[in-house]
Amino acid sequence: MGKKDKVLIFDTTLRDGEQAPGASMSVREKLEIAYTLEKLGVDIIEAGFPVISKGDFDSVETVAKHIKNSCVCGLARSIKKDIDAAADALKPAKHKRIHVFLATSKIHMEHKFKKGKEEILQMAVDAVKHARAKVDNIEFSPEDASRSDKDFLYQVLEDVIKAGATTVNIPDTVGYAVPAEYGKLIADIKNNVPNINKAIISTHCHDDLGFAVSNSLSGVENGARQVECTINGIGERAGNASMEEIVMAIKTRQDYYNLMTGINTKEFYRASRLVSKYTGFVVPPNKAIVGANAFRHESGIHQDGVLKEKSTYEIMAGEDVGFNMEVMVLGKHSGRHAFKDRLKQLGVELDDAKIDKAFERFKNLADKKKQVYDDDLLAIVDDEVQPFKNIWALEDLKVISAMGSKPEVEVVLKKEGKTYMKKATGDGPVNACYKAIDAITKIKAELLDYSLQSVTEGKDALGEVTAKVKVEGKKVVSHGTSTDIVEASAKAYINAVNKVLSVE
Ligand code: KIV
Ligand code: ZN
């Protein structure tokens, strides 16, 4: 087997991923994800669509300022003002790319643009030339490529490469293609675009029919050397191709693909948790690679096989994707040093003040729970170490609830050393609790979505609430964790208020 070709990993979690309904993230959250992507070894980070809003511009500019190892990319339509905005936002980047797109399918050209092939071709060429005059590294995407007339597509690709495009991306924008067909499209492009070896071919596949990963890999098998993907597969509608699935397929089946990526796969589990936390999109337990059950064996026959020889039922090691099932054996008598050490092994490094706070929570939890798992630890850290000010803090919570009567909740909150107390009744204890909090803060907050998951197994498990809340017109995702689910709910709601009140 000869030297392995490298497949470049282009992550679009912060752009296409953020286009998933309800997934919007703050600049600070995007930067934190960008650092994680850089740590993963992602080759190109698409940080946003600068012309679309001030928030998007700021995100791309902020990521461009801080990320040094990955190339930072901004999206632009084939319009001068878009390209100028992308170039401006990318100014501070050490390595930069402008990604220009324009639809080439008959459906899009007729209905969106009311333009014919000649005009579209000219727009694409002009856009790439304009972008190339500003930045050397240019990607062009013929949007809806998989439903475009092939001869026209070849012509567009040939001309944009002549105009200076260094990567040509082939989007299956509506997730319509099937794997053999998408692979053939890439092979046909290789065989029919005369100057194709002057550019890298990229895949960009959506998951409407559940083929995003298979289509991307089929593209790679047929000569694509860049894959566009997202953490957890988030993206417009049904999402994009999932990075962790593509990279692990290439790594695990090297015998088949004979390819490599530059990704440090041990960071996947952490990256997945972070994206889930900031988007509020819970990862299903059966999700390949990063789902909670991905490395768990339930059936006795499987467990027996794995104990005898791991490879009987395991094709990858959980550790290779950063999945760690170790139980933290420290109990309530354990010391701060061992606690800090375990966090460090989990990749969490905190200053002393934050360690103290998290350690106090750990001690309280160890009093209530027999075994403290790594996931519990990470949940505690997430809960205690929030990247915003604790303007309002939960001091006390009393719930009176009985079947057949309306629950009553008493909430005590603290702000700037002063305590405030209110009681409220509601349809359920969480509803009553939120009413009491509203009465204290006098802030207009609306609960848009709410979910509750147990962090680990067992009756004594921590409950983690994810809430989407509209606070003073701004939508935010927040979390709260406790062994008491009303308390976890209260924390999530208060965190949403604090997040909006803190100046970001
Ligand atoms: O799906 C798509 O076509 C896109 C392009 C902007 C690349 O996201
Ligand atoms: Zn897309």
Side-chain angles (χ1 to χ4, degrees), residues 12 15-16 19 171-173 204-206 236 240:
T12 183
R15 197 278 297 169
D16 210 321
Q19 281 173 224
D172 181 28
T173 303
H204 179 110
C205 298
H206 280 270
E236 187 81 48
N240 279 76

Side-chain angles (χ1 to χ4, degrees), residues 282-288 290-295:
V282 176
V283 177
N286 63 328
K287 162 88 175 64
V290 289
N293 292 346
F295 295 95

Side-chain angles (χ1 to χ4, degrees), residues 65-215:
K65 259 185 212 152
H66 291 90
I67 297 299
K68 299 287 169 233
N69 299 327
S70 310
C71 175
V72 181
C73 175
L75 184 67
R77 287 168 298 185
S78 292
I79 301 175
K80 277 193 177 155
K81 77 164 177 17
D82 281 39
I83 296 165
D84 295 344
D88 286 347
L90 289 169
K91 254 185 202 139
K94 186 163 174 214
H95 310 286
K96 58 186 103 170
R97 170 183 296 186
I98 299 180
H99 177 187
V100 182
F101 74 101
L102 182 63
T104 51
S105 67
K106 190 166 177 278
I107 308 177
H108 282 233
M109 291 190 298
E110 272 180 22
H111 297 283
K112 269 169 49 180
F113 301 121
K114 302 203 178 357
K115 287 191 196 308
K117 287 182 176 170
E118 287 308 310
E119 264 184 294
I120 292 289
L121 187 59
Q122 195 57 53
M123 268 178 85
V125 167
D126 290 347
V128 169
K129 281 188 180 156
H130 186 68
R132 185 63 201 253
K134 291 171 182 278
V135 171
D136 283 344
N137 187 340
I138 303 299
E139 171 168 329
F140 179 80
S141 287
E143 192 191 5
D144 206 16
S146 54
R147 293 193 299 168
S148 300
D149 170 74
K150 277 196 176 175
D151 288 329
F152 180 55
L153 184 63
Y154 303 150
Q155 188 64 60
V156 171
L157 296 177
E158 184 181 349
D159 288 4
V160 295
I161 294 171
K162 268 191 211 145
T166 41
T167 299
V168 287
N169 180 42
I170 311 302
D172 181 28
T173 303
V174 288
Y176 181 73
V178 298
E181 184 187 27
Y182 186 78
K184 183 169 183 315
L185 175 61
I186 301 296
D188 288 346
I189 288 169
K190 272 196 87 141
N191 294 328
N192 290 285
V193 177
N195 54 357
I196 196 67
N197 51 13
K198 294 209 169 87
I200 290 173
I201 305 178
S202 168
T203 66
H204 179 110
C205 298
H206 280 270
D207 210 31
D208 300 68
L209 292 174
F211 289 141
V213 168
S214 313
N215 282 347

Side-chain angles (χ1 to χ4, degrees), residues 9 35 95 136 176 218 265 301 303 310 350 379 424 454 468:
I9 299 298
Y35 277 130
H95 310 286
D136 283 344
Y176 181 73
S218 180
T265 61
I301 297 172
Q303 286 172 348
K310 277 190 170 197
L350 302 174
S454 72
K468 279 191 187 157

